[in-house]
Amino acid sequence: RAQLHVAEHGPSGLEAAILDACVHNLAFDRQCEGIRSAWLTGMVTAAKLESQAAQAVVRTLRPDNDTAEYWDLMQSCGLAKEFALRGHSEAKDALYAAFRKEPGSSDLIGGTEIVELDGADGLLFAAQRIGEWLAHEPDLWLGDELVEQFDERHGAGTGERLLGAAAPNDRRVARFLKQILELRSPDERHEERASDPEEGLSGSEL
């Protein structure tokens, strides 16, 4: 109803509330309801507040912002991706700068959105950053969610092959790939190759 109201009557008097909703996740059950970034993007576009909302998201994602809560950051990352797709370069820069591990958990801030936005380049960026962390924290365990996400779009095993192609020339990627391979059994790796037998795919081909 809120989106329909803005589309039919405009945002008059609601501008501040809409912008606040972009940087504060107002869902009742934030874990179950998910991230509403696409819905909010439609709202701010209809309200002609896209530029102001993008600027608010950029401020929220600043690495030195220690007041934003986890779910606010997750929503802001989703919005940053949507704004980046619409040509807001500052939103894309802010999304990349925000990439980090949530303290006390294995959750990654911004990783999913970066891979969705930039595909192979996004996965390589994440692998390099995680590889840097592993150099200082060898026991850090973040899982293979980003690789699985990449595989869902490009085919089973493509993420592992992409990382494998980059690993000989980049120790950061090699560290990340080593952890990924440790997560997967030989049978799992064999099944991935059997389901998608093409080898040697480059980043440009993906």
Side-chain angles (χ1 to χ4, degrees):
R1 288 185 297 174
Q3 193 174 59
L4 287 173
H5 177 88
V6 170
E8 294 176 4
H9 305 289
S12 180
L14 301 173
E15 292 88 348
I18 293 171
L19 293 175
D20 181 69
C22 288
V23 295
H24 296 103
N25 190 318
L26 302 178
F28 177 75
D29 189 329
R30 293 178 289 183
Q31 185 170 0
C32 292
E33 293 183 38
I35 304 301
R36 301 181 292 178
S37 304
W39 179 81
L40 282 166
T41 303
M43 173 86 73
V44 299
T45 299
K48 296 181 172 57
L49 293 171
E50 192 171 297
S51 178
Q52 296 96 310
Q55 292 172 14
V57 165
V58 168
R59 290 193 295 271
T60 298
L61 292 179
R62 286 178 52 178
D64 61 353
N65 180 6
D66 56 4
T67 61
E69 296 182 356
Y70 171 78
W71 288 108
D72 299 338
L73 291 172
M74 296 294 282
Q75 178 176 280
S76 293
C77 284
L79 282 165
K81 183 204 73 175
E82 297 292 337
F83 293 140
L85 288 170
R86 289 161 173 75
H88 292 271
S89 59
E90 289 186 3
K92 179 175 179 175
D93 292 342
L95 175 60
Y96 270 75
F99 180 66
R100 60 187 181 273
K101 186 181 78 70
E102 173 69 3
S105 78
S106 60
D107 293 341
L108 291 170
I109 304 291
T112 296
E113 290 77 16
I114 288 171
V115 174
E116 286 180 357
L117 180 64
D118 284 336
D121 289 340
L123 179 58
L124 286 172
F125 167 82
Q128 290 168 344
R129 288 294 304 276
I130 294 171
E132 292 173 359
W133 303 339
L134 288 170
H136 301 286
E137 298 180 69
D139 295 329
L140 182 64
W141 200 256
L142 297 176
D144 60 352
E145 178 183 349
L146 297 182
V147 178
E148 289 185 347
Q149 174 192 343
F150 186 83
D151 285 359
E152 287 177 3
R153 177 169 294 186
H154 300 286
T158 53
E160 185 179 314
R161 290 200 298 277
L162 174 68
L163 297 175
N169 299 312
D170 193 322
R171 292 183 178 180
R172 299 168 297 178
V173 175
R175 291 189 198 101
F176 179 61
L177 178 60
K178 181 176 182 291
Q179 184 174 97
I180 296 301
L181 295 177
E182 289 173 352
L183 279 170
R184 301 180 177 186
S185 69
D187 288 342
E188 287 175 324
R189 297 199 292 273
H190 176 74
E191 288 174 4
E192 288 181 347
R193 293 191 181 96
S195 64
D196 189 353
E198 296 180 17
E199 296 183 356
L201 291 178
S202 66
S204 61
E205 291 174 304
L206 298 176

